[in-house]
Amino acid sequence: FSIEVKWNLSHLIGYFNTWSAVKHYTNQNGINPVIELQQQLEAFDCLNTTTKVTFPMFVRLGKVYRH
């Protein structure tokens, strides 16, 4: 299983900013590391480029028996 989306740089940066690790880093250091990454990626002139992004879905199935 997987989820496939077509994203541009804005979508990707927005996704990175939802990560709790980014929020913790920003709170501890007073700077958002995603901003630096965004600036570096913008140098490649990929702002309007759309790319397919695939998120693999890992499923663990089982049955819980309650006594």
Side-chain angles (χ1 to χ4, degrees):
F1 297 109
S2 65
I3 296 174
E4 291 184 359
V5 294
K6 290 187 178 181
W7 278 359
N8 60 22
L9 182 58
S10 294
H11 291 112
L12 184 63
I13 295 301
Y15 174 67
F16 287 155
N17 279 314
T18 67
W19 291 1
S20 62
V22 170
K23 293 181 194 307
H24 290 296
Y25 184 92
T26 302
N27 288 338
Q28 286 185 335
N29 299 291
I31 186 168
N32 183 340
V34 176
I35 293 172
E36 182 179 343
L37 174 63
Q38 181 178 6
Q39 291 169 347
Q40 291 176 6
L41 292 174
E42 285 173 350
F44 290 101
D45 194 31
C46 59
L47 288 174
N48 296 319
T49 303
T50 301
T51 303
K52 181 174 80 170
V53 179
T54 303
F55 296 95
M57 300 291 294
F58 300 99
V59 180
R60 184 180 223 177
L61 297 174
K63 188 170 185 177
V64 177
Y65 292 96
R66 302 201 187 262
H67 299 284

